[in-house]
Each structure stands twice: as C-alpha cells, then as structure tokens.
Amino acid sequence: MPTVREQCGFRVLQQVHAVRGFESAFHQATGLSVRLQPLPRQAGSLLLEPDDNPLCKLACSTAAGRTRCLAMQGEIRHNFENELRAQPVVCLAGLTVIAVPVRLCGEYVATLHTNHLLLHKPRPADIQRFADLVAGWGAKPDLERLREDFASLPVMGRKQVEAVVKLLGIYAEHLGDLASRRALAEKNGRPCAVAQALAYMRQHQTERLQLGMVAKHAQLSPYYFCKLFRRTMGMTFTEYLTRLRLERAKDLLMSPTMAVSDIAAAAGFGSI
C-alpha cells in the first residue's frame, strides 16, 4: 500500500501534470490518450487498470485472467522500481500499452501510460487465439463482438511506438523533476533563506528589485543565493520575478479603468 508520502507525492504530480497541457498535446500528436496513474493502494491491485478497452475487461473478468494479469504487471512494477525506463508492454490480449515510471525525489510513485493499441491490423488468427484463451478461463466470448472490439483499436507501427516510448520517457523525467521541486518546497525542503527571499520579493515586487538586494535580505552572498535559488525553484531569480509581475499584471488587466501603462508600472515593470 502506498505511504502517505507517496499519496502526497502523487497529488503534487497531478497538479503539475494538469497545468502542463500534455495530455491534449500528446493526443493531437499521436492519436493516443495518456493517463497518469498512482501506484495501487492495495496489494493485489492492478498497476495498470483496464481502461475503456473491452478486451482487457473481458480477460480480467475471470479469476484466472486477473491472476495472470496481476503476475505480469507485478513484473512490470519490479522493473520500474529497479530503474527500467519507458517500455512497450504486451498484455494478455496481445495488445500493446506504452508505460513509463514517474519518480518523485527518486521514488517511484506513479505510472504514465497510453491506452492499448495494436502493432498490426488484427488477423482472424489473433482474434481466435484470444477467444480460445478467455474461454479456457471461463468466459463466454462472442466472436463477432471480438472482431468489432479488435477493429476499434488504434494500430501503430514499431517505429512510431519507439518514438512514443522516447517521448513519454522525456516527459516523465521532466514531470518528476518539476514535481520534486514543488514537493520539496511544500514539505519544508525549501531552504529558509529562499523562503525569506520569496516573501520579500512578493512584498517589494513593484520596486526596483535587484538580486544583490534580495540576497542581502536573505543573508547570503549574491553568488550562493543565485545558485541556491535556481536549484530550489527551477528557474533564475529574474525569471521568477518576471513571472511574479506578470501574474500581478494579469490581475490588474481585469480592471476596465486602468491604462496599460499604469498597469505596467503598478506590476513593477520599468516601462510599458
């Protein structure tokens, strides 16, 4: 069962993932959907729950099928916990799902995975093999329905799959890195000096703030403060200050009575 730390970590991952707009962009680029899923809360739960794919649901509707699926996914989890990166996984139905571990502060807390797809157009032999398999587990497959279900799945070539694997791997590392920084900040991992600097910057953002001035307030040398700030916040002092002022300007732009030049000055920008 995931610890409280893992659950909090997944919450942070969700928040970062939601604002990045990755799912929509990924779907538009590949035609596939992608899902961020936490580690199972209980032992015996599937790492990758069946999505809206009826073939997986049929396979897991039987005790034997679910047992086989649990064993296979247990191996995937073991690989991910031992640093194995993104990979295409072939399920019991002969379908492929692309999965990648997402780590928070080095700890595996979630899985990013696509919907199921096929590496080639379904053949009658593939459909019959699956029908015989689930029938042996106690299900009662309808061959005509299975043909429709197989035909509804996306088909992707191996080179495309390799590209998606690489893309998800890059994004998972980026997501984990951003979320780790935020989690450290939320759980008092942010050094006290940086916390003091952020509060000072918010209070004086409309003034002519300079790095040396803020570093002095945090009782650090400008050089060390610059390195510490970037490592903690994931951006430079100037980038953070600009974002702070832009957020203030966005709020002020809602006012119908303020001129843009006045808003620029009120947000702390030196000129329009």
Side-chain angles (χ1 to χ4, degrees), residues 165-225:
V165 167
K166 186 173 182 179
L167 180 63
L168 282 184
I170 293 171
Y171 176 68
E173 288 188 10
H174 179 64
L175 174 63
D177 184 48
L178 289 177
S180 294
R181 291 170 180 168
R182 181 174 296 187
L184 287 172
E186 287 187 2
K187 294 182 178 300
N188 298 322
R190 175 179 292 163
C192 182
V194 176
Q196 291 176 2
L198 294 179
Y200 183 80
M201 290 170 71
R202 283 193 295 269
Q203 293 170 6
H204 301 274
Q205 68 184 66
T206 60
E207 302 172 16
R208 193 175 180 83
L209 278 179
Q210 296 179 341
L211 186 145
M213 181 192 308
V214 180
K216 183 178 180 180
H217 178 79
Q219 299 181 338
L220 296 173
S221 71
Y223 174 76
Y224 181 68
F225 172 75

Side-chain angles (χ1 to χ4, degrees), residues 246-261:
L246 282 173
E247 290 302 316
R248 173 63 175 159
K250 284 162 61 177
D251 291 337
L252 294 175
L253 282 169
M254 299 297 291
S255 171
T257 60
M258 289 187 71
V260 175
S261 57

Side-chain angles (χ1 to χ4, degrees), residues 10-50:
F10 180 71
R11 174 184 58 79
V12 175
L13 278 173
Q14 271 188 316
Q15 292 172 350
V16 176
H17 177 61
V19 301
R20 304 305 291 181
F22 180 78
E23 292 189 10
S24 175
F26 182 82
H27 178 71
Q28 291 178 12
T30 67
L32 300 176
S33 61
V34 65
R35 178 186 300 179
L36 182 67
Q37 191 163 319
L39 291 184
R41 292 178 178 271
Q42 299 176 344
S45 297
L46 293 173
L47 179 66
L48 311 176
E49 287 288 348

Side-chain angles (χ1 to χ4, degrees), residues 28-191:
Q28 291 178 12
T30 67
L32 300 176
S33 61
V34 65
R35 178 186 300 179
L36 182 67
Q37 191 163 319
L39 291 184
R41 292 178 178 271
Q42 299 176 344
S45 297
L46 293 173
L47 179 66
L48 311 176
E49 287 288 348
D51 48 24
D52 55 358
N53 164 30
L55 298 174
C56 288
K57 289 183 178 179
L58 177 62
C60 290
S61 66
T62 66
R66 191 171 181 89
T67 299
R68 289 278 299 277
C69 195
L70 275 171
M72 180 191 74
Q73 294 200 28
E75 181 64 24
I76 297 171
R77 178 168 181 170
H78 175 75
N79 290 338
F80 283 169
E81 287 172 344
N82 285 276
E83 298 294 326
L84 192 61
R85 293 297 179 177
Q87 60 178 306
V89 179
V90 181
C91 76
L92 299 172
L95 312 180
T96 296
V97 60
I98 302 168
V100 55
V102 184
R103 290 182 168 79
L104 190 80
C105 302
E107 187 175 356
Y108 172 37
V109 298
T111 307
L112 193 69
H113 67 91
T114 66
N115 55 309
H116 290 77
L117 56 103
L118 292 169
L119 298 180
H120 57 75
K121 291 185 178 181
R123 298 167 294 208
D126 300 324
I127 300 171
Q128 188 60 57
R129 181 196 63 80
F130 179 69
D132 294 341
L133 185 67
V134 295
W137 294 339
K140 296 180 180 180
D142 180 331
L143 272 178
E144 185 59 35
R145 178 64 182 273
L146 287 183
R147 291 190 190 97
E148 294 175 359
D149 292 339
F150 269 94
S152 68
L153 293 169
V155 179
M156 185 171 281
R158 290 190 179 276
K159 287 188 176 180
Q160 287 178 294
V161 168
E162 290 173 2
V164 171
V165 167
K166 186 173 182 179
L167 180 63
L168 282 184
I170 293 171
Y171 176 68
E173 288 188 10
H174 179 64
L175 174 63
D177 184 48
L178 289 177
S180 294
R181 291 170 180 168
R182 181 174 296 187
L184 287 172
E186 287 187 2
K187 294 182 178 300
N188 298 322
R190 175 179 292 163

